[in-house]
PDB file of all heavy atoms in Angstrom:
ATOM      1  N   GLY A  31     265.642  58.990   0.607  1.00 98.00           N
ATOM      2  CA  GLY A  31     266.573  59.763  -0.112  1.00 98.00           C
ATOM      3  C   GLY A  31     267.658  60.407   0.670  1.00 98.00           C
ATOM      4  O   GLY A  31     268.475  61.212   0.110  1.00 98.00           O
ATOM      5  N   LYS A  43     278.748  44.807  11.159  1.00 97.00           N
ATOM      6  CA  LYS A  43     277.306  44.927  11.027  1.00 97.00           C
ATOM      7  C   LYS A  43     277.036  46.193  10.200  1.00 97.00           C
ATOM      8  O   LYS A  43     276.178  46.338   9.353  1.00 97.00           O
ATOM      9  CB  LYS A  43     276.509  44.867  12.223  1.00 97.00           C
ATOM     10  CG  LYS A  43     276.513  43.599  12.996  1.00 97.00           C
ATOM     11  CD  LYS A  43     275.810  43.499  14.202  1.00 97.00           C
ATOM     12  CE  LYS A  43     275.875  42.240  14.988  1.00 97.00           C
ATOM     13  NZ  LYS A  43     275.113  42.208  16.274  1.00 97.00           N
ATOM     14  N   TYR A  62     281.275  54.487  10.851  1.00 98.00           N
ATOM     15  CA  TYR A  62     282.294  54.757  11.700  1.00 98.00           C
ATOM     16  C   TYR A  62     282.090  53.814  12.976  1.00 98.00           C
ATOM     17  O   TYR A  62     281.020  53.902  13.539  1.00 98.00           O
ATOM     18  CB  TYR A  62     282.242  56.254  12.232  1.00 98.00           C
ATOM     19  CG  TYR A  62     282.562  57.156  11.003  1.00 98.00           C
ATOM     20  CD1 TYR A  62     281.619  57.686  10.262  1.00 98.00           C
ATOM     21  CD2 TYR A  62     283.913  57.576  10.807  1.00 98.00           C
ATOM     22  CE1 TYR A  62     281.972  58.607   9.157  1.00 98.00           C
ATOM     23  CE2 TYR A  62     284.225  58.425   9.785  1.00 98.00           C
ATOM     24  CZ  TYR A  62     283.255  58.947   8.962  1.00 98.00           C
ATOM     25  OH  TYR A  62     283.494  59.804   7.934  1.00 98.00           O
ATOM     26  N   HIS A  81     285.758  66.240   8.562  1.00 97.00           N
ATOM     27  CA  HIS A  81     286.699  66.300   7.476  1.00 97.00           C
ATOM     28  C   HIS A  81     286.301  65.510   6.299  1.00 97.00           C
ATOM     29  O   HIS A  81     286.693  65.844   5.137  1.00 97.00           O
ATOM     30  CB  HIS A  81     288.124  65.994   7.965  1.00 97.00           C
ATOM     31  CG  HIS A  81     288.790  67.060   8.870  1.00 97.00           C
ATOM     32  ND1 HIS A  81     288.657  66.962  10.196  1.00 97.00           N
ATOM     33  CD2 HIS A  81     289.372  68.166   8.557  1.00 97.00           C
ATOM     34  CE1 HIS A  81     289.327  68.009  10.775  1.00 97.00           C
ATOM     35  NE2 HIS A  81     289.716  68.757   9.746  1.00 97.00           N
ATOM     36  N   PHE A  95     271.718  51.416  26.368  1.00 95.00           N
ATOM     37  CA  PHE A  95     271.413  50.047  26.796  1.00 95.00           C
ATOM     38  C   PHE A  95     270.826  50.120  28.228  1.00 95.00           C
ATOM     39  O   PHE A  95     271.067  51.171  28.969  1.00 95.00           O
ATOM     40  CB  PHE A  95     272.675  49.090  26.831  1.00 95.00           C
ATOM     41  CG  PHE A  95     273.608  49.317  27.821  1.00 95.00           C
ATOM     42  CD1 PHE A  95     273.696  48.467  28.970  1.00 95.00           C
ATOM     43  CD2 PHE A  95     274.607  50.222  27.847  1.00 95.00           C
ATOM     44  CE1 PHE A  95     274.638  48.646  30.002  1.00 95.00           C
ATOM     45  CE2 PHE A  95     275.468  50.537  28.798  1.00 95.00           C
ATOM     46  CZ  PHE A  95     275.449  49.680  29.914  1.00 95.00           C
ATOM     47  N   ALA A 109     276.149  49.973  36.124  1.00 97.00           N
ATOM     48  CA  ALA A 109     275.425  51.240  36.283  1.00 97.00           C
ATOM     49  C   ALA A 109     276.188  52.404  35.793  1.00 97.00           C
ATOM     50  O   ALA A 109     275.638  53.301  35.115  1.00 97.00           O
ATOM     51  CB  ALA A 109     275.168  51.466  37.873  1.00 97.00           C
ATOM     52  N   SER A 154     264.486  48.920  37.396  1.00 92.00           N
ATOM     53  CA  SER A 154     265.046  49.762  36.350  1.00 92.00           C
ATOM     54  C   SER A 154     265.506  51.112  36.857  1.00 92.00           C
ATOM     55  O   SER A 154     265.333  52.131  36.136  1.00 92.00           O
ATOM     56  CB  SER A 154     263.940  49.965  35.233  1.00 92.00           C
ATOM     57  OG  SER A 154     262.772  50.593  35.819  1.00 92.00           O
ATOM     58  N   VAL A 156     268.492  52.569  37.601  1.00 97.00           N
ATOM     59  CA  VAL A 156     269.530  53.346  36.951  1.00 97.00           C
ATOM     60  C   VAL A 156     269.122  53.638  35.554  1.00 97.00           C
ATOM     61  O   VAL A 156     269.325  54.768  35.068  1.00 97.00           O
ATOM     62  CB  VAL A 156     270.829  52.574  37.025  1.00 97.00           C
ATOM     63  CG1 VAL A 156     271.884  53.294  36.182  1.00 97.00           C
ATOM     64  CG2 VAL A 156     271.334  52.358  38.429  1.00 97.00           C
ATOM     65  N   TYR A 157     268.546  52.624  34.839  1.00 96.00           N
ATOM     66  CA  TYR A 157     268.111  52.861  33.422  1.00 96.00           C
ATOM     67  C   TYR A 157     267.088  54.059  33.412  1.00 96.00           C
ATOM     68  O   TYR A 157     267.160  54.905  32.664  1.00 96.00           O
ATOM     69  CB  TYR A 157     267.521  51.628  32.924  1.00 96.00           C
ATOM     70  CG  TYR A 157     266.893  51.807  31.467  1.00 96.00           C
ATOM     71  CD1 TYR A 157     267.856  51.975  30.421  1.00 96.00           C
ATOM     72  CD2 TYR A 157     265.597  51.789  31.178  1.00 96.00           C
ATOM     73  CE1 TYR A 157     267.417  52.157  29.161  1.00 96.00           C
ATOM     74  CE2 TYR A 157     265.193  52.011  29.923  1.00 96.00           C
ATOM     75  CZ  TYR A 157     266.049  52.152  28.849  1.00 96.00           C
ATOM     76  OH  TYR A 157     265.502  52.283  27.655  1.00 96.00           O
ATOM     77  N   ALA A 163     267.127  61.691  32.844  1.00 98.00           N
ATOM     78  CA  ALA A 163     268.180  62.717  32.458  1.00 98.00           C
ATOM     79  C   ALA A 163     268.120  63.103  30.930  1.00 98.00           C
ATOM     80  O   ALA A 163     268.259  64.268  30.661  1.00 98.00           O
ATOM     81  CB  ALA A 163     269.576  62.210  32.779  1.00 98.00           C
ATOM     82  N   SER A 170     265.433  70.943  27.899  1.00 98.00           N
ATOM     83  CA  SER A 170     266.128  72.229  28.181  1.00 98.00           C
ATOM     84  C   SER A 170     266.738  72.692  26.838  1.00 98.00           C
ATOM     85  O   SER A 170     266.609  73.892  26.411  1.00 98.00           O
ATOM     86  CB  SER A 170     267.248  72.009  29.203  1.00 98.00           C
ATOM     87  OG  SER A 170     267.977  73.176  29.386  1.00 98.00           O
ATOM     88  N   LEU A 171     267.361  71.693  26.160  1.00 98.00           N
ATOM     89  CA  LEU A 171     267.896  72.107  24.867  1.00 98.00           C
ATOM     90  C   LEU A 171     266.929  72.619  23.866  1.00 98.00           C
ATOM     91  O   LEU A 171     267.143  73.554  23.136  1.00 98.00           O
ATOM     92  CB  LEU A 171     268.579  70.787  24.260  1.00 98.00           C
ATOM     93  CG  LEU A 171     269.196  70.948  22.907  1.00 98.00           C
ATOM     94  CD1 LEU A 171     270.366  71.879  23.013  1.00 98.00           C
ATOM     95  CD2 LEU A 171     269.647  69.551  22.368  1.00 98.00           C
ATOM     96  N   SER A 184     262.253  64.459  21.370  1.00 98.00           N
ATOM     97  CA  SER A 184     262.427  63.301  22.206  1.00 98.00           C
ATOM     98  C   SER A 184     261.522  62.172  21.715  1.00 98.00           C
ATOM     99  O   SER A 184     260.378  62.461  21.314  1.00 98.00           O
ATOM    100  CB  SER A 184     262.237  63.542  23.689  1.00 98.00           C
ATOM    101  OG  SER A 184     260.833  63.815  23.911  1.00 98.00           O
ATOM    102  N   PHE A 194     267.647  44.635  22.570  1.00 55.00           N
ATOM    103  CA  PHE A 194     267.858  45.398  23.847  1.00 55.00           C
ATOM    104  C   PHE A 194     267.701  44.435  24.973  1.00 55.00           C
ATOM    105  O   PHE A 194     268.415  44.523  25.915  1.00 55.00           O
ATOM    106  CB  PHE A 194     266.870  46.499  23.762  1.00 55.00           C
ATOM    107  CG  PHE A 194     266.816  47.302  25.180  1.00 55.00           C
ATOM    108  CD1 PHE A 194     267.644  48.302  25.352  1.00 55.00           C
ATOM    109  CD2 PHE A 194     265.944  46.883  26.177  1.00 55.00           C
ATOM    110  CE1 PHE A 194     267.669  49.069  26.599  1.00 55.00           C
ATOM    111  CE2 PHE A 194     265.879  47.493  27.350  1.00 55.00           C
ATOM    112  CZ  PHE A 194     266.756  48.598  27.640  1.00 55.00           C
ATOM    113  N   VAL A 223     261.176  58.974  11.266  1.00 98.00           N
ATOM    114  CA  VAL A 223     261.762  59.486   9.945  1.00 98.00           C
ATOM    115  C   VAL A 223     260.666  60.562   9.481  1.00 98.00           C
ATOM    116  O   VAL A 223     261.062  61.550   8.929  1.00 98.00           O
ATOM    117  CB  VAL A 223     261.918  58.415   9.072  1.00 98.00           C
ATOM    118  CG1 VAL A 223     262.260  58.968   7.616  1.00 98.00           C
ATOM    119  CG2 VAL A 223     263.113  57.616   9.472  1.00 98.00           C
ATOM    120  N   GLY A 229     258.943  70.365  13.630  1.00 98.00           N
ATOM    121  CA  GLY A 229     258.981  70.928  14.946  1.00 98.00           C
ATOM    122  C   GLY A 229     258.303  69.951  15.965  1.00 98.00           C
ATOM    123  O   GLY A 229     257.850  70.223  17.063  1.00 98.00           O
ATOM    124  N   ARG A 258     251.564  47.894  41.285  1.00 58.00           N
ATOM    125  CA  ARG A 258     252.748  47.231  41.908  1.00 58.00           C
ATOM    126  C   ARG A 258     252.951  45.816  41.386  1.00 58.00           C
ATOM    127  O   ARG A 258     253.934  45.349  41.099  1.00 58.00           O
ATOM    128  CB  ARG A 258     252.721  47.235  43.441  1.00 58.00           C
ATOM    129  CG  ARG A 258     253.929  46.726  44.144  1.00 58.00           C
ATOM    130  CD  ARG A 258     253.832  46.921  45.618  1.00 58.00           C
ATOM    131  NE  ARG A 258     253.837  48.316  45.956  1.00 58.00           N
ATOM    132  CZ  ARG A 258     252.853  48.908  46.632  1.00 58.00           C
ATOM    133  NH1 ARG A 258     251.830  48.299  47.074  1.00 58.00           N
ATOM    134  NH2 ARG A 258     252.914  50.238  46.914  1.00 58.00           N
TER     135      ARG A 258
END
Side-chain angles (χ1 to χ4, degrees):
K43 294 180 180 178
Y62 295 88
H81 287 95
F95 77 98
S154 62
V156 177
Y157 178 72
S170 179
L171 179 65
S184 65
F194 171 90
V223 171
R258 188 175 294 121

